Amino acid sequence: MPKVVSNLWFAEQAREAVEFYVSVIPDSRIGSTTILPAETPSGPPGSVELVEFTLGDQAFLAMKAGPLDSFNHSFSIAVLLDSQAEIDRIWDAFLANGGTPEACGWLKDRWGLSWQIVPRKLGEMIANSDRERAKRVTEVMLGMVKIDLAALEKAFKG
C-alpha cells in the first residue's frame, strides 16, 4: 500500500513551524529529521533540512531549503474539530503565534501556510440533503471569521 505525504517547503524555520504545529494539534508528533549531506540547488551541504511529522493521522514532510514559491490558498490544512473549545484553543494559539485571521474559519500562520480551523459538523451540515438547511448554514458561515459552532447549529435547526 503506498503512503501519501504532503510536502511543505519552507524558506527557513521548518523545524520551528513543525514544533509549533505538533504542540497545538492533538495526536501529533515529530518523526525523523534529516540534514542533507550533499550540495543541493538550495545551497551547500547541511543547508537543507527534512522534518517528518504527523498531524492527527496525516503525514507531512517539512523541508527547509531556502526561498522558492510562497504558500498560497491553493493548499491548506483543515483541522476538523468536535467542540467550540477546541476551535477556540487552536485558533487562538495560531493568532498568538503571529497568525492572521481570514474568512470562514481560515487563517494564515506566521509562515504563510493556510489553515481551516472548522467543526467536523460543518461538512455534514453543508452536505445535508435538506438543501434549505444547508443553505442557511452556508450563508451564516460565509459571514464569519472564526467559526461559531453554536451559530451554525442554530442556522441548521432553523
Side-chain angles (χ1 to χ4, degrees):
M1 179 70 79
K3 182 176 181 179
V4 177
V5 177
S6 296
N7 187 6
L8 304 172
W9 182 307
F10 291 82
E12 296 290 334
Q13 300 181 335
R15 180 73 185 199
E16 185 178 352
V18 169
E19 288 173 352
F20 172 71
Y21 301 155
V22 301
S23 76
V24 173
I25 308 298
D27 301 318
S28 300
R29 67 187 180 289
I30 296 174
S32 66
T33 298
T34 304
I35 307 293
L36 296 187
E39 186 169 332
T40 70
S42 297
S47 63
V48 175
E49 179 181 22
L50 307 173
V51 182
E52 295 180 15
F53 66 107
T54 303
L55 298 177
D57 61 357
Q58 177 68 44
F60 292 89
L61 177 69
M63 179 169 59
K64 179 195 77 143
L68 185 64
D69 296 322
S70 300
F71 293 122
N72 63 53
H73 289 97
S74 64
F75 179 84
S76 66
I77 299 174
V79 183
L80 308 178
L81 301 161
D82 292 320
S83 72
Q84 188 67 48
E86 291 175 302
I87 292 167
D88 293 345
R89 183 187 66 76
I90 292 173
W91 182 270
D92 293 345
F94 273 91
L95 295 187
N97 193 47
T100 305
E102 296 186 339
C104 306
W106 286 61
L107 58 80
K108 276 196 184 272
D109 69 21
R110 69 186 242 200
W111 298 278
L113 184 60
S114 293
W115 293 77
Q116 298 176 59
I117 311 302
V118 295
R120 189 180 319 271
K121 286 183 177 181
L122 178 59
E124 296 167 13
M125 289 187 278
I126 291 173
N128 190 278
S129 61
D130 182 335
R131 300 315 294 157
E132 186 55 40
R133 292 174 108 184
K135 179 182 176 189
R136 287 193 308 266
V137 169
T138 301
E139 289 171 344
V140 168
M141 182 263 314
L142 289 171
M144 295 178 175
V145 177
K146 179 173 76 172
I147 297 296
D148 178 341
L149 179 55
L152 294 177
E153 289 172 334
K154 181 179 178 184
F156 187 73
K157 292 177 183 172

